[in-house]
């Protein structure tokens, strides 16, 4: 059991609050799909120690389906995610299987750790786990900078030595992203995205595209890829039925991958980098639990840059 200190909020929390669309769940349900805190109870043989800092792997995977046996827990057919299928972390304590606890160093910042699982793990799998991994010197484009996953992609891309181009409707967010190392920012409300990308890449297009926006950006995303480029999709905030542009896909031999979450092993790598001070999630703001409604509103209005974190302790 974890004594919760910090809970990162995510778009899925808004879906769960509003309708739980597409997710089998029963009410009442405590929300909160990611958390860090301190081990409050450690079963014998778990290898955990009471009082130790830890971050949770949010998916209480079954461990015996074909996907779990292959180490691909995000595809678990009996998936049981906290805040979606079981009680989540917006509480003083949350119970999860001991296999979901990732110990942290004693000096770890729990607010940052509580914002690590969804953003950085999702980003990690997209950049390095699904398609050919992003390489040093390659260019990745991140659609809709501002959200937690996009901000994590920007950080991880730089860690890999890749160049990042970002898009947003907000000049402020583009400016912040440039301050965090993005090579260029494109305002999709005022600029023609794919034309601008071609200018920035010598007419070739980008090597990799990360698009969690979906319907509104899909066409531009396909047109901005180089031949043989790879597109990763992990969300559809503007709709899930874009024009497919199949001709472009097969003639230019584009690779399209769906991705969600990440495996236990991938999260271990993320946590290890975090524990060594190599990762620092961008925190938009920290809100006390009593004001969680304001935190949800900020996320719902798309005002945030990076993670909105609810402080429980
Ligand atoms: Zn399973």
């Amino acid at each position: 059991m974890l004594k919760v200190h910090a809970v990162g909020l995510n778009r899925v929390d808004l879906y769960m609050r509003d309708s739980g669309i597409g997710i089998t769940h029963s009410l009442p349900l405590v929300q909160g799909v990611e958390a860090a805190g301190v081990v409050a109870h450690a079963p014998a043989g778990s290898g955990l120690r009471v009082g130790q800092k830890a971050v949770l792997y949010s998916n209480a995977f079954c461990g015996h389906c074909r996907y779990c046996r292959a180490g691909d827990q995000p595809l678990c057919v009996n998936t049981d995610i906290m805040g979606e299928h079981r009680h989540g972390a917006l509480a003083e304590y949350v119970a999860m299987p001991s296999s979901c606890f990732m110990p942290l160093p004693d000096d770890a910042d729990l607010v940052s750790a509580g914002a690590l699982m969804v953003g950085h793990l999702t980003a990690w799998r997209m950049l390095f786990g699904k398609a050919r991994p992003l390489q040093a010197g390659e260019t990745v484009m991140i659609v809709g900078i501002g959200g937690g996953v996009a901000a994590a992609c920007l950080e991880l891309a730089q860690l890999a030595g890749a160049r990042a181009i970002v898009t947003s409707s907000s000049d402020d967010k583009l400016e912040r992203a440039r301050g965090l190392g993005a090579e260029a920012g494109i305002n999709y409300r005022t600029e023609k995205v794919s034309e601008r990308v071609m200018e920035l890449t010598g007419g070739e297009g980008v090597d990799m595209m990360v698009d969690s926006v979906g319907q509104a950006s899909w066409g531009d995303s396909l047109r901005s890829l180089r031949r043989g480029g790879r597109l990763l999709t992990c969300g559809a905030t503007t709709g899930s039925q874009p024009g497919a542009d199949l001709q472009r896909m097969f003639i230019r031999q584009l690779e399209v991958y769906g991705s969600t979450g990440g495996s236990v092993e991938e999260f271990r790598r993320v946590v290890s980098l975090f524990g060594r001070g190599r990762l620092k999630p961008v925190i938009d703001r920290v809100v006390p639990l009593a004001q969680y409604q304001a935190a949800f509103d900020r996320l719902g209005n798309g005002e945030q840059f990076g993670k909105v974190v609810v402080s429980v302790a």
Side-chain angles (χ1 to χ4, degrees):
M1 186 180 299
L2 187 82
K3 179 161 187 12
V4 180
H5 279 241
V7 177
L9 290 190
N10 295 281
R11 185 149 284 276
V12 68
D13 294 317
L14 297 174
Y15 295 146
M16 294 308 296
R17 179 194 66 178
D18 296 342
S19 67
I21 187 166
I23 295 171
T24 306
H25 65 286
S26 52
L27 297 176
L29 178 76
V30 177
Q31 290 200 249
V33 300
E34 63 179 333
V38 171
V39 175
H41 174 71
S46 65
L48 298 169
R49 166 171 62 77
V50 171
Q52 167 180 48
K53 289 181 178 177
V55 56
L56 292 177
Y57 180 75
S58 307
N59 182 357
F61 52 97
C62 79
H64 51 72
C65 73
R66 64 180 291 184
Y67 302 105
C68 284
R69 289 200 310 273
D72 207 0
Q73 294 87 3
L75 292 179
C76 176
V77 293
N78 304 304
T79 191
D80 194 19
I81 297 174
M82 67 179 198
E84 295 184 20
H85 314 102
R86 59 188 286 148
H87 285 315
L90 282 170
E92 288 175 88
Y93 295 90
V94 62
M96 286 289 279
S98 54
S99 55
C100 293
F101 282 69
M102 302 272 176
L104 293 168
D106 291 342
D107 63 352
D109 171 30
L110 289 176
V111 168
S112 296
L116 200 61
M117 155 91 202
V118 175
H120 278 73
L121 182 56
T122 305
W124 183 280
R125 169 161 279 226
M126 285 197 289
L127 298 191
F128 310 123
K130 294 297 286 187
R132 280 171 289 122
L134 183 67
Q135 304 288 322
E138 285 194 314
T139 303
V140 61
M141 181 158 154
I142 303 161
V143 178
I145 197 72
V149 174
C153 281
L154 176 57
E155 185 180 26
L156 293 177
Q158 291 175 85
L159 213 60
R163 308 185 315 159
I165 298 172
V166 301
T167 72
S168 174
S169 61
S170 154
D171 287 332
D172 283 349
K173 289 186 181 182
L174 294 174
E175 195 52 47
R176 287 201 61 182
R178 275 191 287 262
L180 290 168
E183 184 171 286
I186 303 173
N187 187 322
Y188 60 77
R189 285 213 200 283
T190 57
E191 298 179 88
K192 284 219 178 298
V193 173
S194 55
E195 286 178 16
R196 185 84 184 97
V197 171
M198 290 305 155
E199 283 172 21
L200 290 165
T201 57
E204 195 174 35
V206 299
D207 301 284
M208 185 183 273
M209 176 74 62
V210 176
D211 187 336
S212 60
V213 173
Q215 202 159 318
S217 56
W218 190 256
D220 264 328
S221 291
L222 289 178
R223 285 191 293 275
S224 301
L225 275 173
R226 73 161 169 80
R227 289 164 182 267
R230 46 233 200 261
L231 189 156
L232 283 297
T233 171
C234 74
T237 50
T238 59
S240 58
Q241 302 292 336
D245 204 351
L246 291 177
Q247 217 163 23
R248 173 173 291 272
M249 262 192 224
F250 67 74
I251 288 174
R252 298 175 72 89
Q253 303 199 28
L254 306 179
E255 301 172 13
V256 177
Y257 296 83
S259 191
T260 189
S263 69
V264 170
E265 183 52 36
E266 287 166 331
F267 195 42
R268 276 209 186 92
R269 292 188 201 178
V270 169
V271 172
S272 167
L273 279 172
F274 174 75
R276 286 181 279 138
R278 304 279 309 278
L279 293 179
K280 191 167 171 43
V282 178
I283 305 294
D284 176 76
R285 64 186 53 190
V286 183
V287 179
L289 182 58
Q291 293 167 30
Y292 76 94
Q293 200 63 52
F296 272 65
D297 288 346
R298 184 161 178 81
L299 200 65
N301 296 333
E303 293 162 352
Q304 85 283 10
F305 190 100
K307 299 287 294 194
V308 176
V309 178
V310 173
S311 165
V312 176

